[in-house]
C-alpha cells in the first residue's frame, strides 16, 4: 500500500497546463531482474484538438481518433509473463498492461450498434496501418462489448455517455517486435532522439522477460468541467534480466565461464578439482544504463515540462544500494524524495554535455526493496482430452486476510463452444463449503463464424482462500480453408481479464485518478489444439476418387454400349460376316427350293 | 518563332514523359517457419538496399509472413542477419512492415498490386502508384514450375501474376517495372507475362533449384540465397551513391553462373525498345528514388498565377471558417437540447445477464407441463379405447 502511495505521489498527473512530460522508474527486483517503467504524457487542449492544431499530441493518431469518433482509446502490445511471486504487484496496478499479443479497447461515439461496429472496423484498420500490426484481424468474431470489466478512465460529459460504445478486441497470437516500437517512438515529441526514450532499443526491449507497451488516450477535465484536455499517455514497462542484457549484442549466446572464475562451495563432500557446487551470489551485480539498455541517455527532451525536470529518473531501491550519476561534465547527486526513492534530472543543455548514465557498482547484497504483495494470484489452464471435448480451469487465490470482489471476463473464439451449465465455481478453505462466490453472470453465446463467446462473472473470494472456476467446451471442426498455415501449432485463446473491485479500505487510501484506472490482472493465454486434418489429404482424395470414378464409369459405359458374345461367335458379329451369312442363308434357301423342284421332277420322271 | 517554341515545349514534354516521377518497391517473402530464415533475410536485405538508395518507407511495401527477429528460436533477439560475419543488422531500429504474418496471402498480394482494397485500408498498406511510377517487385520463397508457394498453404501461378500485371498496366499503375524473383525454377514465373514495359529476371531455369549461399552456425540455419547474395554484392560494391550511373545491363552481366549455381534469366522482349533500351536503364531507376526535379512549363510559373492561387486559398479558408462557426453554433444549441433530452442509443449487441433465481420455478413449470401432456395422452387413450365386450 505504501508503494502505491509512492507511485501515486510521483506518477499522478501534475498540473493540467503542462503539455509534455516523461518519467522513468528503475526498480531492481530479486534474482538479478530490473523493472524499467517509462511513462510519457502529452496533452492537447480539447479546443486545439478539435481545430486540428497538434503540438505534442501526434497528428497521425489524432486524425484517426477524429475520423472514427473515438473518445477514449487503449492499445496494448505485450510479451512474456509477469512473475508475481518474485516481482510483487504489477506496475500501475495492472492498468497499463495488456494480455499477450495485442489488445485494444475503445469508447466510440455512435448513434447505433451498427454505426459503432463500422467505426470500430475503420479504427482497427487505421491502427493496423499506423502500428504495423495485424489489428485489422479484429473483426466481429474477436470483438466483444464488456459490461462490467472496463469503466471509462476519462471524464466524458454525462449526456454523451449514452452514445458511447465500448468495444474490445484482442489478438493473442500477434507477435510484438521492432516494427511496433518504431511507430510507437514516432508518436513521441522527441522521437527517441533525446530524453528517456533514447534508451529504447528493440534488441533489448524484445529480449525482456516481460514487457508491455501501452497507449491510452482519454479526455481529462478540471473539477468543474470547464476546461478539458485530451491526454495521451504512452507507457512501456519491462523486466530485464540484468545478466542477460549485459551480454554483448554480437555474441549473446551464453558460454560457460572458465572454471577459475567459478567459486565453489567447498563444504560439499564431493568438491574436488573436477566437481563443483557453485556458491550462491553474495554480491549485487554491477550495471549501468549503457550495459543494460545498450545506450546512454542523450540529454533531456527539450520539449518536456521544465517544472518537472527534477524527477525525470527515479530509482526505487533501498538507500544502501549506491549508484553514481555520470551526467556530462557536471556533478549531480540524486535527491532522496522518499525512503526508497531517489530521483534526478537529465542534463538539459549542450554546455554541460548531454550523455547521461547511472552506474551501479558491484557491492555486497543489499536487502530487496519492500515490494507490494499482489492482491490476487490467477492461473488458468486447459483440461480435458481428445479432439472434441475440453475444459478450462481457472484458479484464483486470494492471499490477503480480507475478501476480494472481482470481475472475471473471457472472450473466447467462436470455435471454442463452452457449456454454461457446466460452469462450476468452488471455494476451498475453512468454512467456505456453502459460500456463494458467483454473484452475477453475463453471457453472450457464440455464433459460428460471426462472433465469439463473451462471459463475464462477478465473483467474491473470502479471505485467504482459493476459488476454482471450471467449465467444459466443445472444439468445433473448421472448414479446410479456415485453417491458418501453421494450424498444427494450435490456436491461441486470449487471456482472461480480471478486474479487482475496490473495497472500502482502498477507496480511502487511493487517489481518484487511480480508482478511475482500476486494478487489473490478466492470466496467460492458452494454446488450444483443434482437430486438424492432414492437409495433403484432399489431393489423395482427389486422386483416389478420380481413379474410382474412372473405373466405375468405364465399366458401366462398357456394359451399356457393348454386346457381349462368346468367343466362337465373334465371326458372326461383323457386318461383312453378317452379309456373308445372309447370302449363305439366301443361297441355301434357293438351293433347297431348287432341290425341291428338281426333286419333284425326278419324282415325275 | 511561336511554332518553334511550341515544338520545343512538345519535345520537352515527351522527354519528361519518358521519365518516371516516383519509385516504389514491393518486397515479398512468401515463406513461413524458422528454417526459411534466409527468405526473410533476402527480402530484408533488399529493403535495406532500397532504403539506403533513397526510397522512403512510405513507398516500400514490405511483406513478411513470419517473425524471425523476435522469434524465440533466434539467439539474437530483434536482429536478422544475412551474413555469418554478422556485420549488418537488417532489422535495425527503424523498420516498417506493412503486411505481416497471416496477412501475407495470394489474395492480399494481388489486391495490393491491382489496388482492389476495402475502403478502410490504410494508405500505408496500399500501392499508390500512377503511370509515372517505376516499381521494383522482388519475390522470394519456395516455388516450382510456374508457381510460387505462399506460407506453405497456397500458391500463386505465373498466369495469376501475369494477369495482375496486365491489369496494373490497364489501370495505368506503372511506368516501368523490374520484376526479380529468387526461387526454384524462378524463370518460369515471368514466362507468362504479356504486359509492356516489364523487365524480368529470375534466379534459375526450369528444372533447376535455387540454392542458399551459406549458413550461420549460431543462428543455426542458412542466412541468404545465392542469387540474392550476388545481386546484393553488386548493389553494395558498385552502387555506392544515388548518383551512380551503372545500368541494369551491368547488373545482369555481373551474374556468374558458376557462383550462383543456377542459370539466371532475363526477359527483355516486353520492354519498349527491347533488350538495348532495357539494358541501358539505370539501376537507380528501380532501386533508388527519383532524383530529378521537374519544373512545370514556363507559363505556369508566373507571379500573377500563384498570387491568384493564394487569394483563392484564402477565400476557401474564410468560407470553411464561416461554415464551421455556423455548424458549431448549431451544435452548441443542439447540445443544450441534448442535455434536456438525452437519447441513449439502442443497444442490442451485448451480453445478457443470466439469472439463476427462478430456475426452480422453471423446473416446476416444466414438470407440470410434462405431467399435463401425460394426463392428456392417457385421457385420449381411455376415450379411444374399445369398449370391453
Amino acid at each position: 500500500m505504501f508503494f502505491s502511495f509512492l507511485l501515486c505521489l510521483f506518477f499522478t498527473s501534475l498540473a493540467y497546463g503542462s503539455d509534455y512530460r516523461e518519467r522513468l522508474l528503475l526498480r531492481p527486483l530479486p534474482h538479478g531482474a530490473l523493472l524499467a517503467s517509462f511513462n510519457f504524457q502529452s496533452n492537447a487542449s480539447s479546443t486545439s484538438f478539435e481545430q486540428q492544431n497538434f503540438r505534442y499530441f501526434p497528428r497521425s493518431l489524432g486524425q484517426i481518433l477524429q475520423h472514427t469518433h473515438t473518445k477514449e482509446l487503449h492499445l496494448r502490445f505485450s510479451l512474456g509473463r509477469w512473475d508475481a511471486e518474485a516481482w510483487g504487484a504489477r506496475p500501475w496496478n495492472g492498468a497499463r498492461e495488456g494480455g499477450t499479443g495485442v489488445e485494444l479497447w475503445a469508447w466510440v461515439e455512435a448513434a447505433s450498434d451498427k454505426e459503432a461496429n463500422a467505426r470500430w472496423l475503420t479504427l482497427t484498420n487505421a491502427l493496423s496501418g499506423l502500428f504495423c500490426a495485424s489489428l485489422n484481424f479484429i473483426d466481429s468474431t474477436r470483438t466483444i462489448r464488456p459490461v462490467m470489466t472496463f469503466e471509462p478512465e476519462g471524464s466524458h460529459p454525462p449526456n454523451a455517455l449514452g452514445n458511447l460504445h465500448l468495444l474490445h478486441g484482442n489478438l493473442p497470437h500477434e507477435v510484438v517486435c521492432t516494427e511496433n516500437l518504431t511507430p510507437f517512438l514516432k508518436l513521441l515529441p522527441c522521437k527517441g532522439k533525446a530524453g528517456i526514450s533514447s534508451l529504447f532499443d528493440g534488441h533489448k526491449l524484445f529480449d525482456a522477460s516481460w514487457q508491455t507497451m501501452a497507449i491510452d488516450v482519454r479526455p481529462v477535465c478540471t473539477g468543474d468541467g470547464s476546461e478539458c484536455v485530451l491526454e495521451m499517455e504512452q507507457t512501456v514497462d519491462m523486466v530485464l534480466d540484468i545478466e542477460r542484457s549485459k551480454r554483448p549484442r554480437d555474441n549473446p549466446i551464453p558460454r560457460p565461464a572458465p572454471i577459475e572464475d567459478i567459486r565453489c562451495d567447498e563444504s560439499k563432500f564431493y568438491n574436488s578439482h573436477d566437481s563443483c557446487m557453485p556458491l550462491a551470489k553474495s554480491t549485487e551485480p554491477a550495471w549501468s544504463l549503457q550495459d543494460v539498455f545498450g545506450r546512454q541517455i542523450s540529454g533531456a527532451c527539450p520539449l518536456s515540462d521544465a517544472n518537472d525536470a527534477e524527477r525525470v529518473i527515479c530509482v526505487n531501491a533501498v538507500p544502501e544500494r549506491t549508484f553514481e550519476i555520470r551526467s556530462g561534465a557536471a556533478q549531480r547527486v540524486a535527491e532522496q524524495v522518499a525512503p526508497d526513492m531517489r530521483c534526478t534530472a537529465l542534463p538539459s543543455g549542450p554546455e554541460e554535455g548531454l550523455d547521461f548514465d547511472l552506474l551501479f557498482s558491484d557491492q555486497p547484497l543489499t536487502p530487496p526493496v519492500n515490494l507490494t504483495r499482489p492482491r490476487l494470484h490467477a492461473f488458468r489452464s486447459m483440461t480435458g482430452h481428445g479432439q472434441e471435448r475440453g475444459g478450462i480451469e481457472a484458479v484464483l487465490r486470494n492471499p490477503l486476510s480480507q475478501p476480494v470482489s472481482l470481475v472475471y471476463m473471457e472472450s473466447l473464439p467462436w470455435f471454442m463452444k463452452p457449456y454454461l451449465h457446466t460452469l462450476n465455481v468452488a471455494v476451498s478453505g475453512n468454512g467456505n463449503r456453502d459460500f456463494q462466490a458467483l454473484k452475477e453472470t453475463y453471457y453472450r453465446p457464440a455464433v459460428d463464424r460471426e462472433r465469439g463467446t463473451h462471459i463475464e462473472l462477478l465473483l467474491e473470494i473470502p479471505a485467504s482462500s482459493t476459488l476454482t472456476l471450471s467449465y467444459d467446451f466443445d472444439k468445433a471442426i473448421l472448414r479446410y480453408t479456415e485453417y491458418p498455415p501453421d494450424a498444427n501449432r494450435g490456436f491461441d485463446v486470449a487471456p482472461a481479464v480480471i478486474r479487482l473491485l475496490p473495497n472500502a479500505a482502498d477507496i480511502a487510501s487511493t487517489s481518484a485518478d487511480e480508482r478511475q484506472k482500476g486494478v487489473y490482472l490478466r492470466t496467460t493465454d492458452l494454446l488450444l489444439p483443434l482437430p486438424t486434418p492432414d492437409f495433403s489429404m484432399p489431393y489423395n482424395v482427389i486422386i483416389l476418387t478420380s481413379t474410382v470414378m474412372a473405373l466405375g464409369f468405364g465399366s458401366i459405359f462398357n456394359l451399356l454400349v457393348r454386346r457381349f458374345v462368346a468367343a466362337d461367335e465373334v465371326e458372326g458379329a461383323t457386318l461383312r460376316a453378317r452379309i456373308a451369312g445372309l447370302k449363305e442363308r439366301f443361297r441355301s434357301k434357293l438351293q433347297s427350293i431348287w432341290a425341291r423342284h428338281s426333286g419333284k421332277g425326278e419324282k415325275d420322271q | 518563332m511561336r511554332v518553334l517554341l511550341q515544338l520545343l515545349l512538345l519535345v520537352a514534354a515527351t522527354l519528361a514523359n519518358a521519365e518516371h516521377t516516383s519509385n516504389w518497391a514491393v518486397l515479398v517473402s512468401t515463406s513461413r517457419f524458422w528454417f526459411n530464415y534466409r527468405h526473410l533475410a533476402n527480402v530484408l536485405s533488399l529493403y535495406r538496399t532500397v532504403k539506403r538508395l533513397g526510397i522512403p518507407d512510405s513507398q516500400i511495401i514490405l511483406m513478411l509472413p513470419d517473425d524471425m527477429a523476435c522469434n524465440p528460436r533466434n539467439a539474437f533477439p530483434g536482429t536478422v542477419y544475412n551474413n555469418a560475419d554478422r556485420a549488418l543488422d537488417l532489422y535495425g531500429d527503424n523498420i516498417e512492415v506493412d503486411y505481416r504474418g497471416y496477412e501475407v496471402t495470394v489474395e492480399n498480394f494481388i489486391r495490393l498490386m491491382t489496388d482492389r482494397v476495402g475502403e478502410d485500408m490504410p494508405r500505408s498498406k496500399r500501392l499508390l502508384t500512377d503511370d509515372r511510377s517505376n516499381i521494383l517487385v522482388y519475390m522470394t520463397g519456395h516455388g516450382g514450375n510456374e508457381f510460387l508457394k505462399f506460407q506453405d498453404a497456397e500458391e500463386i501461378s505465373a498466369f495469376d501474376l501475369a494477369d495482375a500485371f496486365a491489369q496494373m498496366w490497364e489501370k495505368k499503375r506503372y511506368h516501368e517495372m523490374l520484376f526479380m524473383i529468387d526461387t526454384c525454377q524462378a524463370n518460369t514465373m515471368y514466362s507468362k507475362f504479356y504486359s509492356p514495359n516489364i523487365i524480368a529476371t529470375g534466379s534459375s531455369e526450369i528444372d533447376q533449384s535455387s540454392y542458399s549461399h551459406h549458413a550461420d552456425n549460431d543462428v543455426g540455419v542458412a542466412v541468404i540465397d545465392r542469387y540474392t547474395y550476388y545481386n546484393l554484392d553488386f548493389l553494395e560494391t558498385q552502387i555506392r551513391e544515388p548518383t551512380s550511373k551503372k545500368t541494369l545491363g551491368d547488373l545482369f552481366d555481373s551474374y556468374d553462373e558458376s557462383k550462383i549455381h543456377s542459370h539466371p534469366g532475363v526477359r527483355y522482349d516486353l520492354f519498349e525498345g527491347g533488350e538495348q533500351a532495357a539494358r541501358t536503364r539505370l539501376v537507380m531507376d528501380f532501386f533508388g528514388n527519383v532524383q530529378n526535379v521537374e519544373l512545370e512549363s514556363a507559363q505556369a510559373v508566373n507571379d500573377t498565377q500563384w498570387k491568384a492561387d493564394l487569394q483563392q486559398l484564402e477565400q476557401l479558408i474564410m468560407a470553411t471558417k464561416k461554415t464551421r462557426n455556423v455548424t458549431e453554433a448549431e451544435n452548441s444549441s443542439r447540445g443544450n437540447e441534448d442535455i434536456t433530452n438525452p437519447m441513449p442509443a439502442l443497444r442490442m449487441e451485448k451480453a445478457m445477464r443470466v439469472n439463476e433465481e427462478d430456475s426452480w420455478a422453471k423446473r416446476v413449470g416444466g414438470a407440470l407441463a410434462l405431467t399435463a401432456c401425460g394426463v392428456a395422452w392417457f385421457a385420449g387413450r381411455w376415450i379411444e379405447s374399445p369398449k370391453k365386450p
Side-chain angles (χ1 to χ4, degrees):
Chain A
M1 216 35 43
F2 176 67
F3 183 72
S4 76
F5 169 71
L6 276 184
L7 258 184
C8 155
L9 201 71
F10 292 106
F11 285 99
T12 46
S13 54
L14 288 169
Y16 291 119
S18 70
D19 282 309
Y20 173 70
R21 62 174 191 79
E22 50 183 37
R23 290 292 175 82
L24 167 62
L25 176 81
L26 295 166
R27 186 194 304 160
L29 293 170
H31 312 303
L34 169 74
L35 169 74
S37 190
F38 296 80
N39 183 254
F40 310 89
Q41 221 175 68
S42 37
N43 296 339
S45 73
S46 52
T47 45
S48 69
F49 178 74
E50 269 159 34
Q51 290 170 351
Q52 305 216 342
N53 284 334
F54 298 104
R55 187 147 181 248
Y56 299 122
F57 198 96
R59 171 179 290 273
S60 50
L61 188 63
Q63 287 182 332
I64 291 174
L65 298 182
Q66 285 177 342
H67 180 63
T68 58
H69 297 83
T70 304
K71 298 299 167 196
E72 189 175 325
L73 175 88
H74 303 273
L75 176 63
R76 305 278 187 270
F77 297 90
S78 311
L79 207 66
R81 188 177 69 88
W82 177 265
D83 182 1
E85 304 277 350
W87 303 338
R90 286 144 197 267
W92 315 102
N93 286 328
R96 290 288 172 263
E97 154 189 351
T100 310
V102 178
E103 193 173 336
L104 170 73
W105 66 101
W107 275 266
V108 178
E109 191 179 53
S112 66
D113 281 340
K114 206 176 155 191
E115 196 180 33
N117 285 342
R119 283 179 179 169
W120 171 250
L121 207 66
T122 312
L123 177 71
T124 55
N125 272 290
L127 290 176
S128 92
L130 188 61
F131 289 103
C132 296
S134 309
L135 279 160
N136 49 326
F137 283 142
I138 299 182
D139 52 5
S140 65
T141 63
R142 292 170 192 275
T143 302
I144 57 166
R145 290 157 186 265
V147 183
M148 299 180 285
T149 311
F150 298 102
E151 300 276 344
E153 277 182 25
S155 35
H156 301 279
N159 57 326
L161 271 175
N163 280 335
L164 285 185
H165 295 247
L166 166 64
L167 293 118
H168 176 274
N170 50 31
L171 291 171
H173 182 43
E174 194 67 9
V175 291
V176 182
C177 204
T178 314
E179 64 261 31
N180 304 118
L181 178 68
T182 306
F184 186 90
L185 280 180
K186 285 180 182 168
L187 297 182
L188 292 171
C190 280
K191 317 253 184 250
K193 303 289 180 211
I196 56 169
S197 59
S198 56
L199 286 181
F200 285 137
D201 181 356
H203 305 97
K204 303 291 180 186
L205 191 59
F206 300 108
D207 195 22
S209 313
W210 173 84
Q211 74 95 6
T212 179
M213 296 195 286
I215 291 179
D216 298 89
V217 182
R218 56 173 187 157
V220 180
C221 295
T222 49
D224 56 346
S226 58
E227 201 183 321
C228 287
V229 293
L230 199 66
E231 177 194 285
M232 174 158 133
E233 211 179 326
Q234 282 177 271
T235 316
V236 177
D237 296 307
M238 55 176 152
V239 175
L240 292 162
D241 186 308
I242 293 177
E243 281 304 314
R244 188 180 163 89
S245 297
K246 276 167 72 180
R247 289 180 203 150
R249 237 181 77 191
D250 54 341
N251 189 12
I253 296 168
R255 327 251 172 202
I259 189 72
E260 300 85 51
D261 296 353
I262 299 175
R263 291 186 51 225
C264 299
D265 186 353
E266 282 165 15
S267 62
K268 297 285 181 202
F269 68 91
Y270 50 74
N271 186 57
S272 69
H273 70 282
D274 60 351
S275 51
C276 172
M277 175 72 188
L279 272 176
K281 275 192 184 160
S282 59
T283 57
E284 295 277 352
W287 59 273
S288 65
L289 293 181
Q290 170 87 53
D291 289 341
V292 171
F293 293 97
R295 303 164 180 196
Q296 296 181 331
I297 297 180
S298 44
C301 176
L303 299 172
S304 58
D305 185 15
N307 304 326
D308 192 41
E310 289 308 310
R311 286 171 184 178
V312 169
I313 295 192
C314 291
V315 178
N316 179 207
V318 287
E320 292 86 55
R321 182 77 174 116
T322 54
F323 60 87
E324 186 190 326
I325 300 170
R326 184 172 295 164
S327 168
Q331 280 291 324
R332 230 178 251 276
V333 190
E335 183 194 353
Q336 187 90 28
V337 296
D340 283 346
M341 188 78 86
R342 280 162 288 172
C343 293
T344 181
L346 289 177
S348 55
E351 61 275 4
E352 51 174 326
L354 286 175
D355 286 343
F356 178 92
D357 204 348
L358 294 179
L359 304 171
F360 288 76
S361 56
D362 205 354
Q363 72 177 85
L365 214 56
T366 52
V369 69
N370 200 8
L371 296 168
T372 323
R373 303 315 308 164
R375 281 170 57 192
L376 187 78
H377 296 278
F379 309 95
R380 191 179 63 156
S381 56
M382 199 89 79
T383 59
H385 55 85
Q387 301 278 39
E388 196 187 346
R389 291 190 179 84
I392 291 273
E393 189 173 83
V395 179
L396 312 177
R397 184 163 62 85
N398 176 8
L400 302 182
S401 56
Q402 50 191 346
V404 62
S405 299
L406 59 103
V407 180
Y408 177 93
M409 183 186 85
E410 286 214 77
S411 162
L412 304 173
W414 67 265
F415 44 77
M416 198 174 153
K417 298 172 172 169
Y419 291 110
L420 200 62
H421 75 274
T422 61
L423 181 74
N424 184 32
V425 178
V427 180
S428 67
N430 299 335
N432 289 330
R433 288 273 156 250
D434 301 322
F435 185 78
Q436 270 294 324
L438 182 62
K439 304 293 180 201
E440 269 180 42
T441 309
Y442 283 88
Y443 177 63
R444 189 165 194 240
V447 176
D448 278 4
R449 296 175 182 84
E450 274 175 35
R451 63 174 202 226
T453 309
H454 170 198
I455 303 175
E456 252 175 291
L457 309 171
L458 182 65
L459 300 167
E460 191 182 323
I461 310 179
S464 11
S465 42
T466 304
L467 181 144
T468 311
L469 182 116
S470 66
Y471 57 85
D472 295 342
F473 63 86
D474 267 1
K475 302 175 187 176
I477 293 180
L478 303 189
R479 289 180 189 143
Y480 178 71
T481 48
E482 285 170 339
Y483 287 97
D486 55 352
N488 288 305
R489 178 184 167 275
F491 294 73
D492 291 79
V493 178
V497 182
I498 298 165
R499 178 187 177 202
L500 300 184
L501 299 175
N503 54 28
D506 293 333
I507 290 172
S509 68
T510 54
S511 72
D513 192 56
E514 259 188 344
R515 273 203 306 283
Q516 213 159 21
K517 285 177 179 169
V519 182
Y520 290 90
L521 75 152
R522 283 164 172 83
T523 63
T524 49
D525 70 338
L526 292 175
L527 205 54
L528 168 74
L530 282 190
T532 34
D534 171 4
F535 290 98
S536 60
M537 209 58 196
Y539 302 100
N540 300 349
V541 169
I542 290 168
I543 291 165
L544 195 73
T545 318
S546 309
T547 314
V548 169
M549 277 178 70
L551 279 174
F553 174 78
S555 41
I556 289 169
F557 186 75
N558 271 338
L559 278 173
L560 286 174
V561 300
R562 291 199 178 170
R563 199 158 63 99
F564 290 89
V565 287
D568 52 338
E569 296 173 33
V570 166
E571 263 183 331
T574 63
L575 192 66
R576 189 177 285 172
R578 272 187 192 182
I579 292 168
L582 268 174
K583 268 185 185 169
E584 190 62 33
R585 277 171 71 184
F586 193 65
R587 190 177 290 164
S588 66
K589 208 112 193 188
L590 276 180
Q591 269 179 353
S592 68
I593 292 167
W594 182 254
R596 207 180 289 164
H597 262 276
S598 61
K600 245 183 188 171
E602 269 171 33
K603 256 185 188 171
D604 290 343
Q605 272 178 352
Chain B
M1 187 62 204
R2 175 163 285 198
V3 175
L4 199 75
L5 196 80
Q6 275 181 347
L7 250 174
L8 252 171
L9 270 177
L10 200 76
V11 168
T14 48
L15 266 180
N17 265 338
E19 269 188 19
H20 58 284
T21 54
S22 65
N23 273 89
W24 287 74
V26 180
L27 310 173
V28 190
S29 161
T30 64
S31 307
R32 180 174 273 275
F33 306 120
W34 173 248
F35 52 83
N36 292 319
Y37 184 93
R38 64 178 187 282
H39 292 148
L40 274 95
N42 286 347
V43 89
L44 286 168
S45 311
L46 260 291
Y47 171 75
R48 285 290 158 211
T49 305
V50 296
K51 224 169 142 175
R52 173 174 68 90
L53 295 175
I55 304 187
D57 256 328
S58 55
Q59 279 164 274
I60 304 174
I61 306 287
L62 182 59
M63 290 182 145
L64 296 183
D66 205 352
D67 157 55
M68 295 297 163
C70 295
N71 198 306
R73 293 189 198 185
N74 194 349
F76 304 88
T79 354
V80 175
Y81 292 116
N82 65 354
N83 201 313
D85 65 10
R86 300 203 280 269
L88 175 68
D89 167 24
L90 297 172
Y91 228 65
D93 292 325
N94 190 345
I95 183 166
E96 286 182 15
V97 183
D98 301 295
Y99 288 80
R100 67 173 194 174
Y102 298 147
E103 282 180 285
V104 183
T105 58
V106 174
E107 184 185 334
N108 280 353
F109 175 69
I110 290 180
R111 280 186 184 281
L112 166 81
M113 298 307 282
T114 54
D115 205 31
R116 290 170 173 246
V117 292
E119 58 172 340
D120 287 332
M121 187 62 101
R123 289 173 70 85
S124 66
K125 288 174 140 184
R126 287 174 61 184
L127 189 68
L128 298 163
T129 53
D130 56 22
D131 58 344
R132 302 285 298 278
S133 307
N134 276 11
I135 308 181
L136 165 73
V137 181
Y138 175 86
M139 303 184 87
T140 180
H142 289 285
N145 189 0
E146 293 174 3
F147 73 86
L148 176 67
K149 287 203 291 183
F150 268 65
Q151 304 214 20
D152 245 4
E154 50 179 354
E155 301 85 33
I156 189 169
S157 80
F159 298 90
D160 298 337
L161 207 56
D163 289 342
F165 289 168
Q167 199 178 104
M168 287 175 75
W169 177 252
E170 281 165 12
K171 288 176 162 178
K172 301 194 170 167
R173 285 177 54 72
Y174 70 87
H175 176 240
E176 283 165 7
M177 189 191 286
L178 175 64
F179 177 78
M180 283 185 107
I181 182 159
D182 189 350
T183 171
C184 296
Q185 315 192 34
N187 300 358
T188 58
M189 276 308 280
Y190 60 71
S191 58
K192 305 297 169 201
F193 289 177
Y194 55 90
S195 28
N197 284 1
I198 299 180
I199 308 172
T201 174
S203 61
S204 49
E205 283 176 355
I206 186 164
D207 293 337
Q208 266 186 352
S209 290
S210 196
Y211 295 100
S212 65
H213 190 264
H214 68 278
D216 181 329
N217 288 337
D218 281 344
V219 174
V221 283
V223 288
I224 195 163
D225 281 324
R226 286 187 166 267
Y227 173 75
T228 307
Y229 181 87
Y230 288 106
N231 266 308
L232 279 179
D233 194 40
F234 179 88
L235 292 168
E236 308 247 304
T237 55
Q238 308 291 318
I239 318 282
R240 302 305 293 263
E241 66 277 324
T243 51
S244 163
K245 295 292 172 217
K246 292 279 178 190
T247 61
L248 283 184
D250 295 335
L251 173 65
F252 298 148
D253 290 341
S254 75
Y255 296 163
D256 183 348
E257 285 166 16
S258 65
K259 282 182 178 168
I260 297 179
H261 291 193
S262 60
H263 294 86
V266 186
R267 188 169 172 197
Y268 298 114
D269 58 321
L270 297 168
F271 201 73
E272 202 183 326
E275 181 169 348
Q276 209 181 357
R279 285 180 61 87
T280 52
R281 282 282 178 276
L282 297 183
V283 173
M284 281 301 294
D285 282 352
F286 295 99
F287 287 90
N289 206 8
V290 61
Q291 299 293 319
N292 300 343
V293 177
E294 189 181 310
L295 290 174
E296 285 188 14
S297 61
Q299 288 164 334
V301 192
N302 59 26
D303 280 1
T304 50
Q305 190 158 352
W306 68 261
K307 275 182 182 160
D309 280 353
L310 264 185
Q311 255 174 356
Q312 215 169 353
L313 252 176
E314 213 161 287
Q315 280 170 358
L316 210 72
I317 291 169
M318 293 300 283
T320 44
K321 265 190 183 165
K322 226 178 245 174
T323 50
R324 182 184 281 258
N325 285 345
V326 170
T327 47
E328 265 173 16
E330 275 176 7
N331 278 344
S332 58
S333 62
R334 211 176 292 150
N336 291 338
E337 281 167 24
D338 278 355
I339 292 167
T340 54
N341 221 357
M343 268 236 309
L346 194 63
R347 303 241 164 129
M348 303 295 288
E349 298 186 4
K350 78 176 199 192
M352 299 305 284
R353 192 171 163 170
V354 182
N355 294 316
E356 286 198 51
E357 296 87 75
D358 54 355
S359 73
W360 271 111
K362 276 183 187 164
R363 279 178 212 186
V364 169
L368 278 178
L370 275 179
T371 337
C373 286
V375 166
W377 185 67
F378 273 112
R381 247 185 82 163
W382 178 73
I383 292 166
E384 289 289 311
S385 59
K387 279 181 185 151
K388 279 172 189 167

